[in-house]
Amino acid sequence: MPFVPIEDGVVKMYTCGPTVWNYAHIGNYRTFVFEDILRRYLKFKGMKVVQVMNITDVEDKIIKGMKRTGKSLEDLTSFYEAAFKEDLASLRVEPAEIYPHATEHIGEMVSLVKKLLEKGYAYRAEDGSIYFDVSKFKNYGALSGIRPGELKAGARVKNDSYDKAEANDFALWKAWDAEDGEVFWETELGKGRPGWHIECSAMSMKYLGETFDIHTGGMDNKFPHHENEIAQSEAATGKQFVRYWLHSEFLNIEGEEMHKSVGNVVYLRDLLTEGWAPMTIRLFLISASYRDPINLTQTSLRQAEAERERLQQFARRLTSVSGPASSRGEKAKELLDSFAGAMDEDLNTPAALAAVFAFAKEINNLIDGGRLGREDALEILESVKRVDSVLGLLSFDEGAISQELKDLIELREAARGRKDFAAADSLRKQLLARGIVVEDTPEGTVWHRATKG
Ligand SMILES: [Zn+2]
């Protein structure tokens, strides 16, 4: 089914962003990288993208985090938001156009809840909290296939996250209780705070309209979060909320589901500290289709590392071909066609990568045989750059120091600036793995290339 945006040439896309109570784990980054590939490919196809990614800066886990650390809401969430944006930059995820914060949109959430109360889709419970009545919304469960259980009618959940595969009335507005401490707003709905789900409905519709093109997220957000977003939004507007939903599958660790209770949660920063380059991790993350689970192992990372190096060498080699004209101009176009052919099949990144590798092999053979001219090589290089505008894996400016390395050095300075020495140290190790030694001197940070030993 071809994708057609509502407005010709413009794609409006909403991406569930992080709850900034902790570092995001590598499974979260699988989703963020998949969304980045999607937005970059839409741009490759000539479309303009308006992407909104919310920052959830008030939610149950944040309040627990405040208790644990003794930090204020603002201190806790701004720290993890900055860390999140650093992680995105290191994985070369393009920034979204708009990053709305939940705490700055309480007014919009209150209006939406009021509308749901007026229309009879919401009710106030004994403790003053306001719930969405799933039995009133007849399409509830259409996205996930989870239907309200007849016996469970009227069962309620106040928690923002709930795993149980059963539909319950969920909290739109949580009346203040002692557990919330200083986190509350005095509003027309009373003293309290919004539920997590209403945040995304209010912020997506504010910036993208009541009906927009694409909503993405991880599989774990499909139920209940996205199901609840649809129910709240469509009940309030009477219109279709989202035209295309895309969910990325789970990331497993050594064949096992990643879960806190298993103790195998891996953070991006762990992998960086182990010395894996961000672009190796990015290549690994797109080595499976977003619709398939992916398995993180040392072997899969080593394979991604070797593959990325092979591609980088290919790009480097194209710049140094010096043969005479060979009239192989059609080759440059072949690469773009085979790449787009694979990506048009529901963003089939493994097939797209396979096409790029097959192409590199063929061109390497031509170069080996002295059958590729400089002009053609440079034309092919332009196609490789265009493909990499989507994949985001290569460095083309390897002069004194690549932009990627410059970025890492800057990220490290920023980490030192805010005294996050663990992050700074991890970035130092990454730079070292890439042959760059950084030293902190009284005059500031300096860097030089490691001498080959
Ligand atoms: Zn969301």
Side-chain angles (χ1 to χ4, degrees):
M1 184 176 63
F3 165 73
V4 185
I6 298 168
E7 184 185 336
D8 198 25
V10 181
V11 182
K12 295 191 174 168
M13 165 172 162
Y14 187 83
T15 298
C16 285
T19 297
V20 282
W21 69 287
N22 193 356
Y23 297 109
H25 60 60
I26 189 69
N28 301 136
Y29 286 110
R30 181 195 189 184
T31 302
F32 295 123
V33 168
F34 142 68
E35 288 153 345
D36 181 56
I37 292 280
L38 170 62
R39 70 169 269 139
R40 284 166 173 258
Y41 190 59
L42 291 167
K43 287 165 76 177
F44 176 94
K45 298 289 269 187
M47 285 178 249
K48 181 176 181 288
V49 174
V50 180
Q51 183 188 7
V52 175
M53 183 192 283
N54 66 296
I55 304 289
T56 295
D57 57 354
V58 54
E59 198 257 7
D60 295 349
K61 290 193 286 291
I62 291 172
I63 291 172
K64 285 198 187 106
M66 289 166 62
K67 290 221 172 73
R68 200 180 57 237
T69 60
K71 285 189 177 181
S72 70
L73 181 92
E74 157 91 273
D75 284 353
L76 184 80
T77 58
S78 60
F79 177 86
Y80 287 113
E81 179 179 345
F84 172 68
K85 288 188 174 159
E86 272 169 26
D87 285 354
L88 288 186
S90 78
L91 287 173
R92 286 200 193 161
V93 172
E94 287 185 352
E97 279 62 31
I98 308 170
Y99 287 102
H101 292 79
T103 53
E104 288 163 11
H105 294 78
I106 302 293
E108 285 84 349
M109 296 170 205
V110 169
S111 308
L112 193 53
V113 175
K114 275 175 64 190
K115 211 175 206 178
L116 292 169
L117 281 168
E118 281 158 22
K119 291 193 162 193
Y121 286 103
Y123 62 91
R124 197 180 282 272
E126 311 77 54
D127 70 344
S129 295
I130 299 170
Y131 289 86
F132 188 93
D133 182 349
V134 296
S135 71
K136 293 271 168 61
F137 186 72
K138 69 175 188 325
N139 276 335
Y140 194 85
L143 179 74
S144 61
I146 292 164
R147 314 293 306 185
E150 279 172 30
L151 294 171
K152 294 280 177 185
R156 289 199 293 264
V157 271
K158 195 171 174 187
N159 294 344
D160 286 325
S161 298
Y162 49 98
D163 291 334
K164 281 238 192 84
E166 57 189 33
N168 290 313
D169 293 353
F170 56 91
L172 297 167
W173 181 259
K174 304 180 182 200
W176 181 86
D177 65 30
E179 286 290 294
D180 288 346
E182 65 198 55
V183 182
F184 63 84
W185 284 263
E186 293 279 8
T187 73
E188 289 173 70
L189 301 174
K191 176 179 174 178
R193 62 183 172 101
W196 171 40
H197 314 294
I198 199 76
E199 298 182 5
C200 282
S201 285
M203 292 188 279
S204 60
M205 292 197 290
K206 169 167 179 174
Y207 292 101
L208 300 174
E210 291 179 343
T211 303
F212 57 89
D213 298 304
I214 300 180
H215 194 315
T216 60
M219 235 8 188
D220 51 335
N221 278 341
K222 200 170 187 178
F223 181 87
H225 185 51
H226 292 162
E227 200 69 74
N228 294 351
E229 278 187 46
I230 295 172
Q232 298 161 155
S233 307
E234 298 193 354
T237 66
K239 292 177 192 159
Q240 184 184 19
F241 176 46
V242 167
R243 309 214 14 249
Y244 301 86
W245 285 92
L246 281 82
H247 293 97
S248 63
E249 262 294 346
F250 286 101
L251 180 149
N252 297 320
I253 304 291
E254 303 282 349
E256 261 197 281
E257 235 175 78
M258 182 166 62
H259 209 273
K260 256 211 207 91
S261 61
V262 184
N264 63 350
V265 177
V266 173
Y267 296 92
L268 176 63
R269 280 152 199 256
D270 299 335
L271 298 177
L272 298 177
T273 306
E274 283 172 25
W276 297 107
M279 292 308 98
T280 294
I281 299 167
R282 183 172 166 105
L283 176 53
F284 160 72
L285 292 174
I286 63 173
S287 65
S289 156
Y290 76 95
R291 281 185 180 277
D292 293 326
I294 192 168
N295 191 24
L296 179 79
T297 63
Q298 292 290 308
T299 310
S300 59
L301 286 169
R302 267 198 297 277
Q303 189 182 336
E305 186 172 52
E307 286 177 350
R308 201 201 82 92
E309 190 47 37
R310 197 145 36 101
L311 271 189
Q312 186 64 56
Q313 269 169 14
F314 173 57
R316 208 176 286 144
R317 199 176 183 201
L318 286 171
T319 61
S320 59
V321 170
S322 57
S326 54
S327 71
R328 293 191 185 275
E330 78 282 2
K331 286 284 165 209
K333 189 172 173 302
E334 266 176 38
L335 172 64
L336 295 178
D337 289 347
S338 59
F339 173 73
M343 292 296 282
D344 281 342
E345 294 299 321
D346 197 11
L347 301 178
N348 192 337
T349 47
L353 286 167
V356 174
F357 282 113
F359 179 82
K361 191 171 174 196
E362 186 194 343
I363 299 300
N364 272 326
N365 284 338
L366 288 178
I367 301 173
D368 290 343
R371 287 176 287 138
L372 191 77
R374 175 158 183 82
E375 296 276 296
D376 292 319
L378 292 180
E379 209 174 312
I380 288 168
L381 181 63
E382 284 312 304
S383 287
V384 171
K385 284 183 181 172
R386 191 137 158 67
V387 163
D388 196 59
S389 72
V390 179
L391 298 176
L393 298 171
L394 299 177
S395 302
F396 295 99
D397 165 26
E398 292 192 294
I401 180 170
S402 70
Q403 187 58 44
E404 189 193 348
L405 292 173
K406 278 185 202 155
D407 290 349
L408 287 176
I409 291 171
E410 259 182 41
L411 286 173
R412 182 176 172 277
E413 299 219 299
R416 273 176 54 80
R418 53 161 211 285
K419 302 199 188 308
D420 184 352
F421 296 114
D425 197 48
S426 145
L427 287 159
R428 189 184 57 77
K429 283 181 187 151
Q430 283 176 58
L431 283 159
L432 190 58
R434 318 286 297 281
I436 301 291
V437 180
V438 284
E439 277 164 357
D440 300 306
T441 71
E443 285 76 43
T445 302
V446 295
W447 63 268
H448 59 82
R449 287 200 181 276
T451 40
K452 297 232 165 69

